[in-house]
């Protein structure tokens, strides 16, 4: 071998060694390509596929739609693969801020006011992601659900096991997660006073809910003949959803157009025009119940929340919810049904019922 070829070979070897040192550093963070996209395969939310040198993740069900940033937006770009680099999880979180009242197609991803991201499970006109959990779900930039979804149980005195024990035959609509997601609307509920007071309030609320829904079985009022009666036409806003649209729904069987209007205004939801939200979204349903419990006195003289946190007693919560029909000896069997549930629930929660159980 000539000296010239030897020098050239050594130079080539030096370059190769240099590349051997440099290339792994740049490719060490390169993403491995997922299984290649197949036009006949069905992909559901969270599944991945590679296409044109990039990894993609499906946001929802799709078939036959090639991964790209255009089209319906079903595919989320996860970065280059097989030799390129993929951004670390979280670095591609540049989704727009959520705007109340703006239309969002299914699959839209927004940044909520708490800094968390949410993805629209169903198209909606800008419903609140924290409240309308039927329309929105938590989303993380890695494509995996957050380990602790916002709105989860944050110190509620009733555990999920206790909730299930209280309502062994409940309708699947009434989820524990829906209840805990609703708690943020009224942070004083079951968190005011000492531990005994907190447990008594939670038990009182759930005991009344138990009676109103037959053990969390009924989502809507069962007597449909009553439906047209809940439209108070004297209200200036009328009944835009229809005369028969304001029947009882949810844990406290919210009814009448003026109650839907007031609850919707308080919660930032269009309940007057879309009362069906209460029967379609568990968190909304629970929020309407907490709205009544914490802000309305009904036929009574105080809110149920006030009655419990100030030691006035469970009986006064009955008066605030349905006192005109049940209290002062009008329907003792119904009152006893509520009291029985309350006594059972405080026992489950490891506390005592207190005084003044009847109204």
């Amino acid at each position: 071998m000539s000296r010239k070829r030897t020098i050239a070979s050594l130079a080539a070897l030096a370059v190769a060694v240099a590349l051997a040192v440099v290339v792994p550093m740049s490719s060490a963070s390169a993403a491995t390509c997922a299984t290649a996209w197949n036009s006949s395969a069905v992909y559901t939310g969270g599944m991945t596929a590679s296409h044109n040198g990039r990894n993609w993740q499906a946001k929802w069900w799709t078939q036959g739609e090639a991964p790209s940033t255009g089209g319906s937006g079903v595919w989320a770009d996860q970065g280059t693969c097989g030799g390129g680099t993929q951004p670390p999880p979280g670095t591609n979180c540049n989704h727009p801020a959520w705007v109340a009242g703006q239309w969002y197609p299914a699959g839209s991803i927004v940044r909520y006011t708490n800094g968390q991201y949410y993805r629209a499970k169903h198209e909606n006109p800008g419903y609140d992601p924290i409240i309308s959990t039927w329309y929105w779900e938590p989303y993380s930039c890695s494509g995996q659900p957050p380990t602790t979804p916002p709105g989860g149980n944050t110190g509620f005195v009733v555990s999920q096991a206790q909730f299930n024990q209280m309502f062994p035959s409940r309708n699947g609509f009434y989820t524990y997660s829906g209840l805990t997601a609703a708690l943020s609307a009224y942070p004083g509920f079951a968190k005011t006073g000492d531990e005994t007071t907190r447990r008594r309030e939670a038990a009182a609320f759930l005991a009344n809910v138990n009676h109103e829904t037959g053990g969390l079985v009924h989502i809507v009022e069962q007597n449909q003949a009553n439906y047209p009666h809940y439209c108070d036409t004297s209200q200036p806003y009328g009944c835009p959803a229809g005369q028969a649209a304001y029947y009882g729904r949810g844990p406290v069987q919210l009814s009448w157009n003026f109650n839907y209007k007031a609850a919707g205004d308080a919660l930032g939801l269009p309940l007057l025009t879309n009362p069906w939200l209460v029967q379609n979204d568990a968190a909304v349903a629970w929020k309407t119940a907490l709205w009544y419990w914490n802000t309305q006195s009904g036929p009574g003289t105080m809110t149920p929340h006030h009655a419990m946190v100030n030691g006035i007693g469970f009986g006064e919560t009955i008066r605030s919810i349905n006192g005109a029909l049940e209290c002062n000896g009008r329907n003792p069997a119904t009152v006893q049904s509520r009291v029985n549930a309350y006594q059972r629930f405080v026992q489950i929660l490891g506390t005592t019922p207190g005084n003044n159980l009847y109204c």
Side-chain angles (χ1 to χ4, degrees):
M1 181 182 295
S2 68
R3 184 173 181 275
K4 188 174 182 179
R5 287 190 61 190
T6 300
I7 293 174
S9 298
L10 289 173
L13 179 61
V15 172
V17 171
L19 288 174
V21 173
V22 173
V23 170
M25 291 178 64
S26 62
S27 62
S29 60
T32 302
C33 281
T35 303
W37 173 75
N38 187 325
S39 61
S40 62
V42 171
Y43 297 91
T44 56
M47 296 180 66
T48 58
S50 61
H51 187 64
N52 291 338
R54 304 183 75 82
N55 279 331
W56 303 83
Q57 184 175 66
K59 298 177 184 178
W60 61 86
W61 188 97
T62 182
Q63 183 180 28
E65 184 172 357
S68 71
T69 54
S72 66
V74 64
W75 292 101
D77 189 352
Q78 301 296 294
T80 57
C81 66
T85 58
Q86 183 179 24
T91 59
N92 60 340
C93 273
N94 57 352
H95 302 292
W98 168 76
V99 178
Q102 177 177 312
W103 185 262
Y104 290 103
S108 301
I109 300 171
V110 296
R111 185 180 68 257
Y112 189 58
T113 55
N114 61 4
Q116 302 285 347
Y117 288 87
Y118 292 84
R119 178 169 60 194
K121 294 187 291 184
H122 307 279
E123 61 183 7
N124 68 88
Y127 294 146
D128 191 309
I130 290 291
I131 298 175
S132 300
T133 55
W134 189 79
Y135 290 95
W136 295 94
E137 62 182 351
Y139 177 84
S140 69
C141 296
S142 65
Q144 301 299 319
T147 54
T148 305
N153 187 356
T154 55
F156 188 36
V157 294
V158 181
S159 70
Q160 185 164 6
Q162 290 169 329
F163 180 77
N164 291 337
Q165 185 179 355
M166 292 173 177
F167 304 104
S169 302
R170 65 179 172 83
N171 190 306
F173 171 79
Y174 291 113
T175 61
Y176 179 77
S177 61
L179 172 56
T180 56
L183 296 178
S184 61
Y186 295 96
F189 169 74
K191 290 187 178 180
T192 302
D194 59 19
E195 191 69 15
T196 295
T197 301
R198 297 179 181 191
R199 292 175 185 270
R200 284 177 179 172
E201 183 180 13
F205 171 74
L206 293 172
N208 280 296
V209 161
N210 175 78
H211 179 79
E212 295 293 320
T213 61
L216 284 185
V217 171
H218 302 304
I219 301 173
V220 301
E221 183 175 351
Q222 297 301 288
N223 186 358
Q224 297 186 16
N226 285 339
Y227 286 13
H229 300 158
Y230 296 120
C231 174
D232 181 357
T233 56
S234 69
Q235 300 297 331
Y237 42 77
C239 300
Q243 181 178 346
Y246 301 99
Y247 49 85
R249 296 179 176 88
V252 295
Q253 294 292 282
L254 185 72
S255 56
W256 289 98
N257 56 329
F258 48 80
N259 280 328
Y260 278 91
K261 173 69 162 60
D265 288 348
L267 298 171
L269 292 168
L271 299 186
L272 181 66
T273 55
N274 187 6
W276 297 276
L277 275 175
V278 182
Q279 69 189 69
N280 291 333
D281 189 317
V284 171
W286 283 113
K287 278 184 180 288
T288 63
L290 290 172
W291 165 80
Y292 191 93
W293 183 267
N294 287 276
T295 69
Q296 303 298 299
S297 58
T301 59
M302 65 188 70
T303 68
H305 172 71
H306 178 87
M308 294 308 297
V309 301
N310 290 285
I312 299 170
F314 177 73
E316 202 62 30
T317 71
I318 302 175
R319 188 182 304 279
S320 298
I321 291 174
N322 206 26
L325 297 179
E326 298 180 21
C327 292
N328 301 321
R330 291 185 180 91
N331 198 332
T334 302
V335 171
Q336 190 62 54
S337 171
R338 294 182 193 265
V339 172
N340 290 346
Y342 176 61
Q343 291 175 319
R344 182 165 61 90
F345 289 176
V346 292
Q347 185 176 14
I348 290 174
L349 295 181
T351 192
T352 56
N355 299 319
N356 303 323
L357 300 185
Y358 297 88
C359 62

